[in-house]
Amino acid sequence: MIKIDNLKKQFGETVACNIPSFTVNDGEVLGLVGNNGAGKTTLFRMILDLLKPDNGEITISGDINPATSEDWKQFTGAYIDEGFLIDYLTPEEYFSFLGKISGIPQKEIDQRLQAYEHFSGGEVFGQKKLIRNLSAGNKQKVGIISALIRQPRLVILDEPFNFLDPTSQNLLKRLITDYARDTQATILISSHNLQHTVDISTRIALLEKGCIIRDLNPQNDDARQELTAYFEQQM
């Protein structure tokens, strides 16, 4: 699904990304972990063509380079931060807008939103509030739903567990797991929460100073122990 070749990005003297080669396979749930400044968000922004690499390239779905083509947008859903939202709309208006620009009828959008009622916790839909007036947690929910509502086959979520209460975090884990199972989508998630990352990922990449230093299989307890030991050493 995603192939990275000799990808580099620096900000001054700081190396934000230095990945010689890495491939994310179709249907994987890849968890990116690392301390602040490890390069997780920088990598996501380059995949989404929000940031230009200094060197190298990314290709998606075979031969689509996001730096030179917009074809990837048709099958990609992402939420990085509040800048992805149109905050002068209500959530319902925002989801309707996404449906219109994607050619999805309003009736179908309404049907798809029913699957997110439980996750929304009764605090997103029907509140007659502009997105800008929602709490940080509810803005996060709107962003996550917006990334999934078009049923993309590539999903990118940067720190999706931020601002969510424990109940909502558990609901999100189930939501992501179910979505991956039902759609076979490729999902990339960054998170500081090791427990959540290990729980939902089929593969984990550990980043340090822009480099992927570990490529782990979380299906056994070895990955959890290795990650725990790594972050304890950083303290």
Side-chain angles (χ1 to χ4, degrees), residues 81-145:
D81 55 37
E82 288 184 28
F84 277 53
L85 305 175
I86 303 177
D87 67 358
Y88 56 81
L89 300 177
T90 66
E92 288 89 346
E93 290 171 339
Y94 181 50
F95 298 135
S96 294
F97 169 76
L98 293 178
K100 286 179 181 178
I101 64 174
S102 303
I104 304 172
Q106 182 62 47
K107 184 176 181 180
E108 186 170 347
I109 288 291
D110 292 339
Q111 291 174 340
R112 293 185 184 187
L113 287 175
Q114 293 176 12
Y116 302 101
E117 285 280 1
H118 192 32
F119 174 60
S120 73
E123 299 178 336
V124 172
F125 305 125
Q127 301 302 299
K128 298 182 180 180
K129 285 185 179 181
L130 301 180
I131 293 173
R132 66 171 61 140
N133 295 326
L134 297 176
S135 68
N138 287 329
K139 288 178 184 176
Q140 190 81 342
K141 292 178 182 179
V142 172
I144 292 165
I145 295 169

Side-chain angles (χ1 to χ4, degrees), residues 2-10 15-24 30 32 38-44 46-47 53 55-58 188 203 205-215:
I2 299 175
K3 184 177 180 180
I4 295 171
D5 182 35
N6 198 31
L7 192 68
K8 296 181 180 179
K9 183 67 182 179
Q10 283 190 220
V15 177
C17 183
N18 183 11
I19 304 175
S21 179
F22 191 75
T23 299
V24 183
L30 177 69
L32 295 182
K40 304 183 296 295
T41 301
T42 297
L43 176 58
F44 282 171
M46 286 191 287
I47 293 173
N55 191 59
E57 68 175 14
I58 298 165
L188 280 64
R203 184 181 178 193
L206 173 61
L207 278 76
E208 180 181 285
K209 297 180 180 179
C211 301
I212 295 176
I213 62 171
R214 299 283 192 282
D215 186 353

Side-chain angles (χ1 to χ4, degrees), residues 27 47 58 63 72 108 147 160 183 194 204 228:
I47 293 173
I58 298 165
D63 59 358
W72 58 275
E108 186 170 347
T183 66
L194 292 183
I204 295 177
T228 299

Side-chain angles (χ1 to χ4, degrees), residues 41-53 58 60 65-70 72-73 76 84 156:
T41 301
T42 297
L43 176 58
F44 282 171
R45 288 188 174 277
M46 286 191 287
I47 293 173
L48 296 170
D49 194 34
L50 299 172
L51 191 63
K52 299 295 184 184
I58 298 165
I60 302 174
N65 185 335
T68 59
S69 170
E70 295 192 349
W72 58 275
K73 293 182 178 180
T76 302
F84 277 53
I156 297 176

Side-chain angles (χ1 to χ4, degrees), residues 30-42 44 78-82 119 136-137 139-141 143-144 155-165 169 172 176 187-197 200 205 207 231:
L30 177 69
L32 295 182
V33 297
N35 289 318
N36 289 336
K40 304 183 296 295
T41 301
T42 297
F44 282 171
Y79 183 66
I80 302 295
D81 55 37
E82 288 184 28
F119 174 60
K139 288 178 184 176
Q140 190 81 342
K141 292 178 182 179
I144 292 165
V155 178
I156 297 176
L157 299 173
D158 194 17
E159 297 289 351
F161 297 100
N162 279 1
F163 311 118
L164 299 183
D165 59 46
Q169 290 181 9
L172 178 57
I176 292 170
I187 303 176
L188 280 64
I189 293 176
S190 74
S191 179
H192 285 104
N193 190 305
L194 292 183
Q195 181 66 51
H196 293 340
T197 305
I200 64 176
L207 278 76
F231 286 107

